[in-house]
Amino acid sequence: MTQVIGELAPDLFGEGSTDNGKSMLYNLFIETVEQVPIAISITDKKAKILYVNKEFSRVTGYQPQDILGENESILSDKRTPKNVYRDLWRTISTKKIWRGILCNRHKSGERYLSDLTIAPMLNEAGAISHYIGMHRDITQPYESEKKVINQKLLIESVINSSPIAMVVLDDQDRVILDNHNYKALVSDLDKGEPATYFLKLLRDEMGDLWSQLKSKEQGFNNREFKIESKGCHKTRWFSCAGNWFVENEGNADAFFDQASKQYLILTLTDITRQRRQMEELHIQTLKTLMSEDERVRGIRETLLGAMHQIQMPMNQIRAAEQILRHKGEGQHAGLLQILQQIQQSGEEAVATMQKCIPSISQTAVIPVNLNQILHEVLLLSNQRICSNDIDVHWQPLSELPSILGSENRLRILFKQLIDNAIDAIGESNGRELRLKIATYSDADLVYVCIEDTGPGIPVEKRAKVFEPFYTTRPMGGNQAGMGLVMATEIVNQHQGFIEIDPDYDQGCRLKIRFPLHKHAFREVEHG
């Protein structure tokens, strides 16, 4: 090697390059070129190899005796496109440095990737005399980098093909990776960054458990949330699951410290369809239960109404009988006997009807959330609400305390009141068609307000609507009703109170309140 460099010295370093003045620099150059861990070759202007160092032989497999005098193209593999070589020669021929990657072939025939730099060497006249090439075998780093990239693409492909929304978050809640379904939630939910929104819900619900699971890198599943979103289907349900994992940092700051970072992979599954199916099944079950109850109550109401209608003339007959007895005149004896027979027949009929009145079975007394009851009743009445184009304002208190009571009786109560409100709104005569239901509470009571924009109830009739068989509807004299009487009965069973708000003049507003104490429910036997 030294001999080859010596022969090239006049061309490379100029005449007198081996004089004592330059001998030290010359020797240093030789040692550097020979020992540098970069494959170096020197060629003439036609790419005939004149010199190679030790690293060149190690990288290519060619010893000096194998390759000196050969053209540099001996290393080339046909997989390198011809336009790369054209660009290479065009660059170095104009006295510029070329940098790029070639596919070369080892002496053994194995291909490798060469990260190559070629620089033209100029003589004293400024003309190109030689070329010096420096290259490294980057096959292994390239393959490792490709594997990382391919793995990342594979992960992204798997995530994007997932039918559920997925997102990876760092320890600052920043989105690192997400999929198409997650991106769709940004516009669908209209809640800003969906991950931020769901993280707040999860932390609020889980409390200290969130920190405990995070510190132990334990996951969570089946955390369900009801979301009010925009669009046709305003209410959506999501099931959330998450898993924490730790990844070693790959930046320069973490090279010596082996720092790591924690990430959370969060999945958001839209379970709206399943919840709606469950809700529909639940509502269908409620309809079945309530239809039987309504049938029994209908029979009771009919019989009670008939008894009420019979009782009115019987009272008149009784009064007439008393008048005749008071007169004591014998000529009325026949009439008195007839009245007594009629009265006896009436009493027998009332007694018979009394025996036919079906009893209402007792139901379990349990803690009841009135928000849930009202939500179910709204679903039961949804068809009527939609067909009448009524705008429902549902304003429940989010943390409404429970009361003790009968779920089914409370459903019947609110179904009756909401049905009455829907009927009233239908008679609004051009007013806004609005039904508003709100719940709230204080230290002792839970309140429910049901207001409608119907014609309202005149002041002089507000007390009478709670009497049996009184109605404010047209032809009220011919139509008897027990709706508000039944409602009042159920409210009283729960030791509550129902009233018409006298200050509301846009229709009718009913205010119902229930106590919170443990003995808030009183069983009433029905004969």
Side-chain angles (χ1 to χ4, degrees):
M1 292 290 186
T2 303
Q3 181 181 356
V4 173
I5 290 292
E7 293 174 355
L8 293 174
D11 293 325
L12 298 176
F13 297 96
E15 294 295 334
S17 60
T18 56
D19 294 346
N20 291 333
K22 296 183 179 178
S23 62
M24 183 177 295
L25 178 60
Y26 169 70
N27 291 330
L28 180 60
F29 171 77
I30 291 175
E31 290 301 321
T32 300
V33 172
E34 286 294 315
Q35 297 182 36
V36 71
I38 297 176
I40 296 176
S41 62
I42 299 174
T43 71
D44 62 14
K45 292 190 294 183
K46 294 183 178 181
K48 185 174 75 171
I49 299 174
L50 304 176
Y51 168 80
V52 295
N53 68 352
K54 292 179 180 178
E55 183 66 11
F56 182 94
S57 297
R58 189 192 68 79
V59 171
T60 66
Y62 289 100
Q63 297 301 316
Q65 61 271 21
D66 301 326
I67 202 168
L68 291 180
E70 299 288 342
N71 192 281
E72 190 86 27
S73 61
I74 193 174
L75 300 176
S76 300
D77 185 83
K78 292 181 179 180
R79 290 181 180 269
T80 303
K82 291 182 180 180
N83 64 299
V84 175
Y85 289 114
R86 284 196 293 267
D87 178 64
L88 184 158
W89 279 106
R90 185 168 53 248
T91 301
I92 62 177
S93 297
T94 56
K95 302 179 182 180
K96 295 178 182 178
I97 298 173
W98 184 88
R99 295 181 179 88
I101 297 175
L102 302 179
C103 182
N104 281 352
R105 186 183 291 272
H106 192 273
K107 182 181 179 181
S108 65
E110 184 179 352
R111 296 185 185 90
Y112 70 94
L113 292 176
S114 170
D115 182 9
L116 175 63
T117 300
I118 299 178
M121 301 181 68
L122 309 180
N123 58 22
E124 292 180 355
I128 297 174
S129 62
H130 299 83
Y131 294 106
I132 181 168
M134 295 167 283
H135 75 271
R136 296 180 300 113
D137 182 353
I138 62 166
T139 307
Q140 186 173 350
Y142 172 80
E143 290 177 349
S144 298
E145 182 181 358
K146 274 296 183 182
K147 285 180 180 178
V148 171
I149 293 173
N150 290 339
Q151 286 177 351
K152 184 175 182 293
L153 292 174
L154 178 62
I155 292 171
E156 290 177 350
S157 177
V158 170
I159 289 178
N160 278 325
S161 64
S162 172
I164 61 178
M166 300 180 71
V167 60
V168 178
L169 306 158
D170 66 9
D171 53 6
Q172 301 298 316
D173 294 347
R174 292 174 298 200
V175 175
I176 304 300
L177 181 66
D178 58 14
N179 67 354
H180 299 314
N181 284 322
Y182 175 81
K183 289 182 175 71
L185 293 180
V186 177
S187 58
D188 288 352
L189 295 183
D190 195 28
K191 301 290 185 183
E193 184 67 60
T196 304
Y197 179 75
F198 279 100
L199 285 175
K200 184 180 185 307
L201 294 178
L202 287 163
R203 286 169 176 149
D204 290 346
E205 184 200 58
M206 296 172 69
D208 294 338
L209 180 61
W210 175 271
S211 300
Q212 294 173 14
L213 294 175
K214 182 178 180 180
S215 63
K216 297 176 181 178
E217 294 179 29
Q218 295 179 347
F220 57 89
N221 290 292
N222 301 324
R223 297 283 172 171
E224 295 186 4
F225 297 101
K226 181 181 180 181
I227 310 297
E228 299 296 331
S229 62
K230 65 180 185 179
C232 298
H233 304 294
K234 294 183 178 180
T235 302
R236 295 175 69 180
W237 283 88
F238 287 88
S239 175
C240 302
N243 282 287
W244 282 276
F245 65 94
V246 173
E247 185 179 78
N248 292 328
E249 291 282 68
N251 53 39
D253 296 338
F255 184 78
F256 291 105
D257 294 338
Q258 295 295 314
S260 60
K261 199 170 186 178
Q262 191 176 51
Y263 296 88
L264 170 67
I265 180 166
L266 182 66
T267 60
L268 309 169
T269 307
D270 189 334
I271 57 171
T272 306
R273 183 177 178 182
Q274 296 92 312
R275 289 294 301 224
R276 283 181 181 151
Q277 289 175 343
M278 291 172 60
E279 201 167 61
E280 287 172 5
L281 180 61
H282 178 59
I283 293 302
Q284 213 45 52
T285 303
L286 290 180
K287 284 181 177 178
T288 302
L289 291 173
M290 292 183 68
S291 64
E292 176 62 22
D293 196 288
E294 288 173 354
R295 186 185 68 83
V296 172
R297 288 184 181 275
I299 296 172
R300 285 172 55 84
E301 186 172 340
T302 301
L303 291 173
L304 288 170
M307 291 167 60
H308 180 77
Q309 295 296 326
I310 293 174
Q311 201 67 48
M312 292 174 62
M314 284 182 62
N315 290 338
Q316 295 174 347
I317 292 171
R318 191 176 292 108
E321 180 188 357
Q322 292 296 327
I323 293 172
L324 292 176
R325 287 183 182 277
H326 180 71
K327 288 183 177 182
E329 298 179 4
Q331 65 268 26
H332 298 297
L335 179 59
L336 184 61
Q337 185 178 5
I338 292 173
L339 291 176
Q340 289 174 341
Q341 291 175 352
I342 293 173
Q343 184 176 347
Q344 183 178 358
S345 297
E347 289 174 351
E348 289 175 355
V350 169
T352 301
M353 286 187 286
Q354 183 74 34
K355 293 177 182 178
C356 294
I357 295 176
S359 63
I360 298 177
S361 60
Q362 304 296 341
T363 57
V365 178
I366 59 173
V368 178
N369 187 311
L370 292 182
N371 282 347
Q372 180 64 29
I373 296 294
L374 287 163
H375 173 68
E376 291 171 351
V377 172
L378 282 173
L379 291 174
L380 287 168
S381 304
N382 186 61
Q383 187 172 355
R384 290 194 66 203
I385 290 171
C386 292
S387 63
N388 287 279
D389 199 24
I390 296 172
D391 184 18
V392 176
H393 291 210
W394 170 226
Q395 298 177 350
L397 180 68
S398 59
E399 299 291 336
L400 189 70
S402 296
I403 68 167
L404 285 177
S406 163
E407 285 186 325
N408 205 43
R409 290 186 193 176
L410 289 168
R411 284 191 201 98
I412 293 169
L413 163 66
F414 291 116
K415 182 71 163 57
Q416 181 66 54
L417 298 181
I418 289 174
D419 282 347
N420 286 350
I422 293 172
D423 291 338
I425 292 171
E427 302 167 10
S428 59
N429 295 325
R431 282 189 183 183
E432 179 186 4
L433 306 180
R434 186 184 72 247
L435 171 64
K436 180 179 177 181
I437 302 172
T439 61
Y440 54 98
S441 69
D442 57 26
D444 301 312
L445 299 168
V446 171
Y447 300 86
V448 178
C449 269
I450 301 174
E451 77 181 44
D452 63 68
T453 54
I457 301 174
V459 175
E460 67 274 10
K461 296 182 179 180
R462 289 178 180 173
K464 294 182 179 180
V465 295
F466 295 101
E467 296 177 1
F469 310 107
Y470 183 83
T471 178
T472 60
R473 296 172 187 172
M475 299 178 64
N478 299 325
Q479 293 181 347
M482 290 286 285
L484 285 180
V485 175
M486 293 289 188
T488 304
E489 179 186 12
I490 296 172
V491 171
N492 289 338
Q493 288 171 10
H494 291 77
Q495 294 190 359
F497 186 76
I498 182 171
E499 63 178 338
I500 298 171
D501 187 349
D503 299 325
Y504 186 71
D505 59 2
Q506 301 299 312
C508 179
R509 176 191 287 157
L510 287 173
K511 299 175 71 174
I512 310 102
R513 60 177 182 261
F514 299 97
L516 287 175
H517 57 79
K518 293 183 179 179
H519 303 292
F521 187 84
R522 181 176 71 250
E523 292 292 348
V524 176
E525 297 293 336
H526 298 278

